[in-house]
Structure formats: structure tokens, C-alpha cells
Amino acid sequence: EDHLHLRATFTECGISIAWFLCAREFFNTMMGEIVGHFNGYVHQKVLQCNISDTNVWMQIPKPEPEFIVPDWLKDKGPGWYPNQMGLLGNWGYGKHFSSNPSAQRDNLSLQGTFPFQATQLMAWEGGLDWAGPFKGHSIQHDLEAVIWLMWILCINLDGPF
């Protein structure tokens, strides 16, 4: 298969979404990821197609310990929380969509990390009748992956760091 893989270097540093300090920071980061996904889809006609815990990051100023797991600032008051911007990385399986996306089945129809895949994509791959005819990867599948990611992280982590 012909695939083009590019590497890019950014001034932004990111850490895993699992390193959040509080629920507000976690959901703020997830909202940033959704905005990034929306911008990619609306402005560039690209779907990420691989939402997972390793592809959603929190932006930090530098790769230093005090930024990775910062101390809780008690003098800021009860309304303060670490406000990290969400980043969506690893667009290697991203798909470009024109205004008329093809419903042709290709080798990349079942994409993404298994626990976060949309159920309809897995049903198509398994040939289950309830999924209907194959229509291709859509924005709804990526948004379902975001919901699965948030749900799996929320039920499996003991809490913030």
C-alpha cells in the first residue's frame, strides 16, 4: 500500500490526557480536542480516524516535571484549576473528505484503537446486518470514539494525580 507518513516538529509540548489534576482540567482538555477535531473537519476536510488515549494530549509549556504534574496552587482559591489546552495528535490515519465522500470500502475502513472504535465500524467489519450497508468513516464515528475515550478513562482511573 502507498502511504505517506510525515513527521512534524512543534514548539508545543504535550503529555497524555491521563495526567490530569482534576475533572475540570480533564474535560477542558477533551473540549480542546473536540475543537481541534472540528477545525480539522470543517476547515481542512480531514477526519482524524484514530481517537485514543495516546493521541489526545494536554499542552504544557516545557517538558519539565513542574509542568507535567504541577503542584495545586492553594493561594489561587477554590475556582482555580490547571487550564491546559487539548491537542489532538497522530493524524497518520487521517482521511481527507471532499464534499462528496466516497462510500467505497477501502483497506482503511476499520481504523483506530480497538477500545475506542465506533460500534458501527466494528459491525461493518464483522458483517453484522444491523449496521446497514457500508458508508465509510464519518465524523459521527470519531465523536463516538471521543465518548468511548472519556468513558473508559473515567471508569478506569482512580482519580486525578
Side-chain angles (χ1 to χ4, degrees):
E1 295 179 33
D2 292 329
H3 290 284
L4 177 64
H5 291 276
L6 302 173
R7 292 185 190 265
T9 304
F10 301 95
T11 57
E12 290 86 11
C13 296
I15 58 172
S16 170
I17 183 67
W19 286 83
F20 60 93
L21 283 178
C22 64
R24 282 182 73 184
E25 181 183 35
F26 172 75
F27 288 110
N28 184 69
T29 301
M30 291 304 299
M31 285 302 299
E33 180 277 330
I34 292 170
V35 168
H37 191 280
F38 175 80
N39 287 333
Y41 183 72
V42 170
H43 299 294
Q44 300 299 322
K45 302 292 185 221
V46 175
L47 285 177
Q48 204 268 355
C49 299
N50 190 19
I51 306 293
S52 73
D53 57 334
T54 57
N55 294 338
V56 176
W57 310 317
M58 292 186 293
Q59 182 181 358
I60 58 173
K62 292 190 256 181
E64 303 288 337
E66 65 266 20
F67 296 115
I68 295 173
V69 183
D71 293 327
W72 193 269
L73 302 176
K74 296 182 185 345
D75 61 336
K76 295 284 187 180
W80 179 86
Y81 69 98
N83 189 359
Q84 309 294 359
M85 183 170 65
L87 301 171
L88 181 58
N90 189 3
W91 289 73
Y93 286 118
K95 287 184 130 180
H96 186 269
F97 288 87
S98 63
S99 59
N100 186 14
S102 170
Q104 297 273 333
R105 189 173 194 116
D106 59 21
N107 292 335
L108 298 174
S109 60
L110 186 62
Q111 296 176 355
T113 305
F114 174 72
F116 314 111
Q117 287 176 341
T119 53
Q120 188 175 37
L121 290 176
M122 291 187 288
W124 280 332
E125 190 68 20
L128 301 178
D129 292 334
W130 67 262
F134 181 80
K135 294 180 182 163
H137 197 101
S138 70
I139 193 167
Q140 290 86 356
H141 297 131
D142 277 2
L143 293 176
E144 183 179 341
V146 169
I147 299 299
W148 283 119
L149 172 63
M150 289 191 297
W151 183 73
I152 288 172
L153 286 175
C154 287
I155 65 167
N156 285 305
L157 295 176
D158 286 336
F161 285 90

